[in-house]
């Protein structure tokens, strides 16, 4: 009889410890390095063991923060509502309205627009764009990702060129674009459901292929109809409900 692979042995040991109550929901589990030392194997073997438990829905992986026992409680839902002229970050405003603290991590860099981004921004493929990647957190838990692109030809000569740096950092697309005389109005969005990629699942702390809401969002200059910013937004399907339309005030 062939012995099971070491990563499967480690996975089953961890499963037993979790099911047996040694680790409670929300507890941080040993690091892959600690597993490697305990079992005399390379850290990559521990990583594969955790991969099994993540696939089984017993463990969640948090990018840069380790592995945790998945809780059984249903997370509180966040409602995403359309805002016609958000002056600050729509995410921060929406989270605050629902009693949560909205924060985000970000990283910006210049890039060459690929064919898809160029088509959405109506620029030439290869034109320089400012690309910004975001991880949004509600009460310190990741709930949303985004990647945005803005044409350098539009913003490059202004202090708004970096969305999250300088005097206009974090104020939202509408307020930033107004600095250079562009009125963007309400964003145009296309929304669909799909499964999370492995990278998205890791960043959001969900299982691979877990349902997410995917939003393709574009802001346009209201004076000439030209797109000035486009973004891909990925939201945890178990945390978000999208709500459209506005109820009239009751008399």
């Amino acid at each position: 009889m062939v012995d099971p692979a070491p990563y499967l042995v480690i996975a089953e040991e961890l499963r037993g410890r979790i099911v047996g109550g040694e680790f409670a929901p929300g507890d941080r589990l040993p690091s892959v390095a600690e597993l490697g030392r305990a079992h005399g194997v390379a850290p990559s073997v521990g990583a594969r063991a955790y991969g099994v438990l993540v696939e089984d829905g017993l463990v969640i992986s948090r990018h840069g923060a380790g592995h945790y026992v998945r809780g059984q409680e249903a997370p509180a839902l966040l409602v995403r509502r359309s805002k016609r002229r958000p002056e600050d970050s729509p995410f921060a405003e929406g989270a605050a309205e629902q009693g949560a603290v909205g924060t985000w991590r970000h990283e910006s860099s210049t890039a060459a627009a690929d064919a898809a981004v160029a088509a959405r921004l109506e620029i030439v493929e290869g034109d320089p764009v400012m690309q910004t990647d975001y991880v949004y957190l509600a009460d310190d838990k990741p709930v949303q990702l985004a990647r945005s692109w803005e044409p350098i030809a539009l913003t490059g000569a202004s202090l708004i060129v970096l969305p999250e740096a300088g005097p206009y950092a974090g104020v939202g697309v509408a307020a930033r674009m107004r600095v250079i005389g562009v009125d963007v109005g309400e964003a145009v969005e296309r929304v669909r459901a799909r499964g999370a990629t492995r990278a998205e699942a890791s960043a959001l702390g969900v299982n691979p292929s877990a349902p997410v809401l995917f939003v393709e969002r574009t802001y346009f200059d209201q004076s000439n109809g030209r797109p000035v910013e486009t973004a891909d937004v990925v939201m945890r399907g178990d945390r978000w409900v999208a709500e459209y339309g506005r109820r009239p005030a009751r008399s």
Side-chain angles (χ1 to χ4, degrees):
M1 182 176 179
V2 179
D3 292 334
Y7 77 92
L8 292 175
V9 173
I10 296 173
E12 286 308 305
E13 178 188 301
L14 286 169
R15 189 192 309 276
R17 295 169 71 183
I18 293 169
V19 174
E22 181 179 342
F23 296 109
D27 281 356
R28 190 178 190 277
L29 294 162
S31 69
V32 293
E34 290 169 337
L35 288 180
R37 288 193 294 269
H39 292 271
V41 297
S44 60
V45 178
R48 288 191 68 185
Y50 277 130
V52 172
L53 299 178
V54 168
E55 291 277 7
D56 290 347
L58 197 61
V59 168
I60 60 173
S61 173
R62 294 178 181 165
H63 182 66
H67 296 82
Y68 295 77
V69 179
R70 178 177 290 280
Q72 300 303 312
E73 70 283 355
L77 286 174
L78 295 165
V79 180
R80 185 174 189 269
R81 299 181 178 93
S82 175
K83 291 182 177 291
R84 294 189 179 277
R85 297 182 63 87
E87 295 303 311
D88 296 315
S89 162
F91 175 79
E93 288 185 2
E97 289 172 358
Q98 297 173 70
V101 177
T103 57
W104 59 92
R105 302 191 294 265
H106 57 85
E107 182 176 353
S108 294
S109 61
T110 57
D114 63 19
V117 170
R120 285 162 61 175
L121 288 174
E122 297 178 9
I123 58 177
V124 176
E125 183 177 355
D127 277 359
V129 292
M130 183 61 66
Q131 176 178 299
T132 305
D133 291 295
Y134 295 91
V135 178
Y136 293 93
L137 306 98
D139 294 334
D140 293 326
K141 295 181 179 179
V143 295
Q144 178 176 308
L145 309 173
R147 172 171 288 179
S148 70
W149 300 271
E150 297 176 356
I152 296 293
L154 175 68
T155 63
S158 168
L159 291 174
I160 72 166
V161 64
L162 291 171
E164 298 295 333
Y168 305 105
V171 299
V173 175
R176 287 178 52 249
M177 289 295 170
R178 196 173 302 119
V179 174
I180 57 174
V182 175
D183 178 11
V184 300
E186 188 175 9
V188 175
E189 296 186 343
R190 300 179 65 189
V191 184
R192 62 185 173 91
R194 62 167 173 78
T197 67
R198 285 190 173 274
E200 291 166 351
S202 177
L204 290 171
V206 298
N207 290 335
S209 297
V212 295
L213 289 177
F214 177 76
V215 181
E216 184 181 297
R217 181 195 72 199
T218 304
Y219 282 102
F220 295 86
D221 185 332
Q222 297 297 291
S223 68
N224 56 31
R226 293 177 181 173
V228 299
E229 190 258 24
T230 193
D232 290 341
V233 182
V234 179
M235 297 176 287
R236 284 182 54 160
D238 63 337
R239 292 299 309 270
W240 287 97
V241 172
E243 183 178 282
Y244 298 96
R246 297 174 185 274
R247 176 176 174 171
R250 295 185 64 176
S251 58

